[in-house]
Amino acid sequence: RLPQYINPIRITAVNPQTLPLLKSKFSCIFNNKKILSCSISHLKAIHKAFHDNNILAMIAEDDMIILKNINWYYLCSLAPNDWEIIQLHTCCLPTATKNYNPIYNYNNSNTLFIKATHRMIASAACYIINKRGMIKLLTRHIPNYLDSNWDNIKVINFSNYKFACEADHIIFYNTNRYICTKILIDVDGFDSTLHPSHLKFHNITKKFIKNNSNT
């Protein structure tokens, strides 16, 4: 659900029938085409933002809820100068690095951004990416990304990537990512169709956000 002041551009998702050819060295968790489709849909949205000449873009999955009226450009101006991605939602995984469990424990502190490392408290539900980040990801994964017609994108290159193929891993890997510690984003009550086993962790996040979203 989005505030009235936001007029989103909706991107038709990639699905298992429209997946481009994948160049990869890993099996991508048993070659799960649904997970791959989700990840490549994120790349498709970033490709669209780049070719629309946006200096930054908010990429959001369709179950995302914006909780507060925020000047997003101002928020980005407060981030460290080297940022490429600002992650706006996290899953409070109990197994995450103990100093960041959950990241929203910083909600009432003066710490606005936490420098993230690979696989730290991931969630691709909602994030902001700037032009520098767009170019880094598109160059890495799409050989002919300068072609503005997505239908001409026939190959996605994951050959230099050795980890899982979920969107948060693919998008966040080896980028200058900062996690926003303020509670700005929630997700709707839909269970994960990609990872039903993660429902326990998602519920921890939702409960924490519900109890602290007004602070």
Side-chain angles (χ1 to χ4, degrees), residues 56-60 70-90 112-116 121 123-130 132-133 171-172 175-182 184-185:
L56 56 84
M58 177 186 289
I59 308 296
I70 296 294
N71 183 326
W72 301 105
Y73 288 98
Y74 178 67
L75 179 70
C76 292
S77 75
L78 300 176
N81 290 334
D82 67 342
W83 79 271
E84 294 168 341
I85 289 178
I86 296 175
Q87 182 182 330
L88 297 174
H89 178 268
T90 73
L112 182 56
F113 295 104
I114 296 293
K115 174 71 173 178
I121 317 177
S123 170
C126 188
Y127 55 92
I128 297 173
I129 184 169
N130 63 20
R132 187 168 57 244
I171 300 301
F172 295 158
T175 59
N176 291 332
R177 172 171 57 110
Y178 290 86
I179 303 174
C180 180
T181 64
K182 302 304 178 185
L184 306 175
I185 303 294

Side-chain angles (χ1 to χ4, degrees), residues 131-179:
K131 196 82 166 187
R132 187 168 57 244
M134 295 178 202
I135 293 173
K136 175 180 282 190
L137 286 172
L138 294 175
T139 302
R140 180 185 300 163
H141 296 308
I142 304 177
N144 60 322
Y145 77 92
L146 291 176
D147 191 328
S148 62
N149 185 351
W150 178 262
D151 291 338
N152 293 334
I153 304 299
K154 303 301 182 183
V155 177
I156 302 295
N157 183 9
F158 289 160
S159 61
N160 295 320
Y161 188 78
K162 301 177 182 179
F163 300 96
C165 59
E166 287 88 348
D168 42 15
H169 295 301
I170 292 294
I171 300 301
F172 295 158
Y173 174 69
N174 198 25
T175 59
N176 291 332
R177 172 171 57 110
Y178 290 86
I179 303 174

Side-chain angles (χ1 to χ4, degrees), residues 106-117:
Y106 290 90
N107 183 51
N108 291 319
S109 74
N110 292 323
T111 303
L112 182 56
F113 295 104
I114 296 293
K115 174 71 173 178
T117 60

